[in-house]
Amino acid sequence: MRAALAAVVALALTGCAGLMPGGAGRHALAEAQRARAEALERDGALRPALDAVEVALTVEPDDGALRESRTRLQARIERGVAERTEAARTALARRAYLEARRHFLAVLALDPVNAAAFEGLRNEVKEVRFVTHTIRQGDSLGSIAQRYYGDRSRSEVIWEMNQLPRNHRLAVGASLRVPEIPGVPFLLTPREGAPAEPRTTMPREDIAPQIDPLVAEARDALERRSFGEALADVDRVLAANPRHTEGAELKKSILYSLGKTRLGEKKFDESYQALTQLAKLAPRYEDAGELTRQARTGLVQQYYNEGLRLYREEKLEQAIQQWKAVLELDPRHANARKNIEQAELIIKKLDERTKR
């Protein structure tokens, strides 16, 4: 996250440099981030607000007001994490698992890498019963909550269950999971002429893929082509839950995009590494086989040419290493094998002359 943040700042500074004088450009960027942080904090989005302050401080590190804002936000986040974690533990003690789940999700919104919240969601939150509701024309979260719970104010539960973004617009035909709330009547009366949705149980191993915030971060990093960040995030997801279906599919997509992008940039080594890793996970993934062949061909030629360059510079041992790398990828490469033999012969003759 920090690396990505620094990249964003650098990009922003680069963009501003051509439009305004250096000092004025930095000040304008800092002020924009300050205003954004204040608006986010007013909305209760403390983590994004802190990120905006960190961006502003990267530009204006000596700004006392910004440092105070950072300290205040950090303290609020710490208090929020502690309060929500305690509330989750209390809910677990009452076996109010959906309530505990909501509190753990709130912790992760404040602290996306909070280990206690991840562990609680994975190991302590029990099964959550739910129905799948197909969105119809005129539906809103409030009307759906009214239908199933008899209480429009319960719409927040549906929002959190489905991890919807702010101000999300419901799409007709899409599906929402409507969870049962312990102690609250769960109404399943269908609309006239509409079939009743079946009640379903969500297995515990399916919970993490639906709520893991690292998946969203990995997708965002993939869209920005920050492949290293995306892989790091998705690997953490899979380390916590190797059966995380969405995470596994996302990793394949990241590796494919990385391999294809680096191939286009003629960075054959990175491309080949990504594509061979993908082949271990999904040997027939789209056109990855053809891309791997192209990356291998480019890498072979790259190693071979580098060997020739080193040979001309009389760096024979380094040249041999390059040609050996060629043979690891293409054992039938006759020229590489011939060049190795010739270089080794020269080295042998030089050694013999030295001994004389």
Side-chain angles (χ1 to χ4, degrees), residues 15-233:
C16 291
L19 300 175
M20 293 178 282
R26 289 193 297 272
H27 180 71
L29 176 60
E31 288 303 308
Q33 291 298 321
R34 189 200 308 271
R36 180 171 181 269
E38 291 172 354
L40 289 167
E41 185 176 2
R42 285 195 298 270
D43 290 341
L46 301 183
R47 174 57 58 178
L50 179 59
D51 289 341
V53 169
E54 294 285 8
V55 172
L57 278 169
T58 304
V59 182
E60 297 284 0
D62 298 325
D63 190 305
L66 284 172
R67 290 202 299 271
E68 290 178 5
S69 295
R70 177 173 62 185
T71 301
R72 182 183 67 255
L73 285 166
Q74 288 173 336
R76 288 190 64 185
I77 288 172
E78 289 177 4
R79 287 197 302 272
V81 167
E83 291 169 1
R84 288 287 197 161
T85 301
E86 179 61 28
R89 296 297 175 198
T90 301
L92 286 173
R94 293 188 283 107
R95 297 186 179 182
Y97 298 117
L98 181 59
E99 181 183 344
R101 184 174 184 272
R102 291 171 57 196
H103 288 306
F104 280 136
L105 287 174
V107 170
L108 290 175
L110 293 168
D111 180 9
V113 295
N114 188 279
F118 275 119
E119 289 298 317
L121 286 168
R122 188 170 64 248
N123 299 323
E124 299 181 69
V125 174
K126 306 296 182 181
E127 293 178 347
V128 178
R129 295 181 66 82
F130 69 97
V131 298
T132 300
H133 174 84
T134 301
I135 298 170
R136 301 176 177 88
Q137 190 68 40
D139 275 350
S140 66
L141 291 181
S143 68
I144 296 171
Q146 178 67 39
R147 176 184 175 188
Y148 289 97
Y149 307 129
D151 184 355
R152 296 181 66 88
S153 68
R154 300 283 185 180
S155 61
E156 181 184 356
V157 177
I158 303 172
W159 180 82
E160 288 188 353
M161 180 70 172
N162 293 274
Q163 289 294 282
L164 300 175
R166 291 177 179 273
N167 302 318
H168 180 69
R169 303 182 70 176
L170 301 182
V172 175
S175 297
L176 286 177
R177 296 182 302 278
V178 182
E180 185 173 8
I181 304 175
V184 175
F186 199 37
L187 308 178
L188 295 173
T189 305
R191 292 177 178 177
E192 185 176 352
E197 287 87 353
R199 184 181 300 211
T200 316
T201 298
M202 181 192 299
R204 292 184 60 182
E205 59 265 27
D206 287 348
I207 290 178
Q210 293 163 359
I211 57 91
D212 199 325
L214 285 177
V215 172
E217 292 190 16
R219 290 193 182 281
D220 178 66
L222 174 58
E223 290 178 4
R224 292 183 279 106
R225 296 196 172 189
S226 297
F227 299 113
E229 182 183 345
L231 282 172
D233 285 340

Side-chain angles (χ1 to χ4, degrees), residues 297-350:
T297 299
L299 190 56
V300 164
Q301 192 62 47
Q302 179 178 298
Y303 284 146
Y304 184 77
N305 291 342
E306 180 65 10
L308 291 177
R309 184 187 67 80
L310 291 167
Y311 183 85
R312 286 193 294 267
E313 295 178 2
E314 299 182 2
K315 299 176 181 178
L316 303 182
E317 293 181 354
Q318 293 96 317
I320 289 171
Q321 292 304 313
Q322 293 294 315
W323 290 325
K324 284 184 176 180
V326 169
L327 293 177
E328 288 180 4
L329 295 169
D330 182 5
R332 295 183 297 177
H333 199 293
N335 286 339
R337 191 176 302 280
K338 179 180 178 180
N339 291 350
I340 290 173
E341 293 173 356
Q342 183 175 351
E344 288 178 340
L345 180 59
I346 293 173
I347 291 173
K348 182 179 179 180
K349 291 181 177 180
L350 289 173

